[in-house]
Structure formats: C-alpha cells, structure tokens
Amino acid sequence: KQEVTQIPAALSVPEGENLVLNCSFTDSAIYNLQWFRQDPGKGLTSLLLIQSSQREQTSGRLNASLDKSSGRSTLYIAASQPGDSATYLCAVRNYIKGGGADGLTFGKGTHLIIQP
Amino acid sequence: DTGVSQDPRHKITKRGQNVTFRCDPISEHNRLYWYRQTLGQGPEFLTYFQNEAQLEKSRLLSDRFSAERPKGSFSTLEIQRTEQGDSAMYLCASSLKAGPISYNEQFFGPGTRLTVL
C-alpha cells in the first residue's frame, strides 16, 4: 500500500527566505506526483504536476523535483511571501499493473507560515 | 467560473439522517473523483468515475455511501444513516483523460464540510 510522508509537518520562516518542503513515497510505481496548496477551510489548488518520466517542473517562484527511484520529491519556494502561508500537500497517482487507474494518495501536508 | 463546484458548502445534520452532496466538474473533464478529508489529515480517495462508469471504490466507501454520475456530467454522493465519524470535508475533483495513457492533473472543488451532531 502506498504511503506518502511529508517533512516537516510545520514550518515558520521570515519573509524573503528560500525554503524546501519534502515528500517521500514508499512505492515508486507512480504515474505522476502533484503538489497542492490548501488554505484553511478551503479546497485544494494545484501548484505543479510532475509526470513519472520528468525530473522537475517550475512555475514562477515554485520548483518541484522528482526522484522516482528513491521515492522523493521536493518543493522549492523562492523568496517566500506572507501570501505563501498555507498547507502544502504532496500526492502521488499510483500505477496499477495491467492497466486501470487509482485515486491520489496524499501526505498529511506541511503547514507553512511566512512571517512578515 | 469554469472550475469545479460543490453544493452545499456546509451541511449540519443529526446522526441517523441521510445527506446528499453534489459536484459539478469542469465541463470537458471526463473523470470525476470523490475524496474525504478530516482535520489535520490529507484527503483520502473514496471513488472515481470515468464518464458515467464508477471504476474504482476505496475500502473506505462503506455500504452507507453511494455515488452516482448518471449522465457523465455532475455527480452526487449520498451518505445514509450518518454517524459522527462521517464528519469531514468531502472534496470533489475532476480531470481529463485523453488517449490510452492518462497524465491527468486533478482539479479540486471547494469542498462540502459535513458536521454530524
């Protein structure tokens, strides 16, 4: 059974710092990995999607990397801003041998606070 | 707004009552997913549809839960005889599967928060 772990569980840093959020998964047979942002009491906003054949994806100040063989992904946030404060969730879409698809398996998230 | 929408946004009910939630996916998306999220946890997959066919159901989806997508557009999730443990945020997502290999990115709605008293 796929398990996704995110470290750290919480992080508080001053504005302007660069930071890295970590995600690890136990089964490397994945289609893709997706990073989301969730604001309190709200739904999820997709940030980046990395296909299993890719190594990284970039969007603005965000860069996500994927090392499928070691079961790891990182989300790099450059020049953090108070508006980046949210919970960041990592999720993998599992590959099922012989076809078929699966829902996403999520980590518990990293609760990020950027201090003004 | 062309994103995923869910209705209602909040539902408070008494234990033992039935509740139904609705999800409208992004219009061209053929896949629709339901997830449940409890406080401090990541979302957990419940079930998904490709068009009107329900292709996968998690073991979390007990007999009291049923989901439908009759015309391949909107979907409903019904919980019968609600229990306090059903209190959670119920999230819907949609994606587009094109071709034999699916690289689909899932887009989420705002969720329905259920409180069972």
Side-chain angles (χ1 to χ4, degrees), chain B residues 71-108:
Chain B
K71 297 182 180 179
S73 56
F74 73 92
S75 175
T76 58
L77 177 68
E78 180 183 18
I79 309 175
Q80 296 182 329
R81 305 181 304 281
T82 53
E83 302 173 355
Q84 288 184 325
D86 297 331
S87 296
M89 174 81 89
Y90 289 84
L91 294 161
C92 175
S94 70
S95 68
L96 177 64
K97 181 185 186 301
I101 300 175
S102 175
Y103 295 122
N104 52 330
E105 181 175 3
Q106 293 188 26
F107 295 90
F108 281 74

Side-chain angles (χ1 to χ4, degrees), chain B residues 6-22 77-79 82-84 86-90 111-117:
Chain B
Q6 293 186 245
D7 183 70
R9 297 291 304 278
H10 302 274
K11 179 70 176 179
I12 300 174
T13 191
K14 293 182 179 179
R15 185 166 52 93
Q17 298 294 305
N18 299 342
V19 294
T20 300
F21 310 140
R22 175 177 170 129
L77 177 68
E78 180 183 18
I79 309 175
T82 53
E83 302 173 355
Q84 288 184 325
D86 297 331
S87 296
M89 174 81 89
Y90 289 84
T112 294
R113 180 166 296 284
L114 173 66
T115 302
V116 181
L117 301 177

Side-chain angles (χ1 to χ4, degrees), chain B residues 23-34 48-54 67-77 93-95:
Chain B
C23 171
D24 287 88
I26 294 172
S27 59
E28 65 269 25
H29 284 185
N30 52 9
R31 281 192 167 173
L32 187 149
Y33 304 78
W34 286 100
Y48 93 94
F49 294 82
Q50 182 162 308
N51 299 313
E52 66 275 7
Q54 189 172 16
E68 294 182 345
R69 194 183 183 197
K71 297 182 180 179
S73 56
F74 73 92
S75 175
T76 58
L77 177 68
S94 70
S95 68

Side-chain angles (χ1 to χ4, degrees), chain A residues 60-114:
Chain A
R61 294 183 294 107
L62 304 179
N63 175 277
S65 67
L66 174 64
D67 184 341
K68 198 176 78 161
S69 61
S70 68
R72 296 185 183 200
S73 176
T74 61
L75 178 67
Y76 176 83
I77 303 177
S80 58
Q81 303 171 358
D84 295 331
S85 298
T87 296
Y88 289 80
L89 292 156
C90 164
V92 297
R93 182 162 177 266
N94 305 301
Y95 170 76
I96 298 178
K97 192 174 181 180
D102 201 355
L104 294 173
T105 301
F106 282 83
K108 292 184 179 182
T110 294
H111 181 55
L112 177 64
I113 296 175
I114 308 298

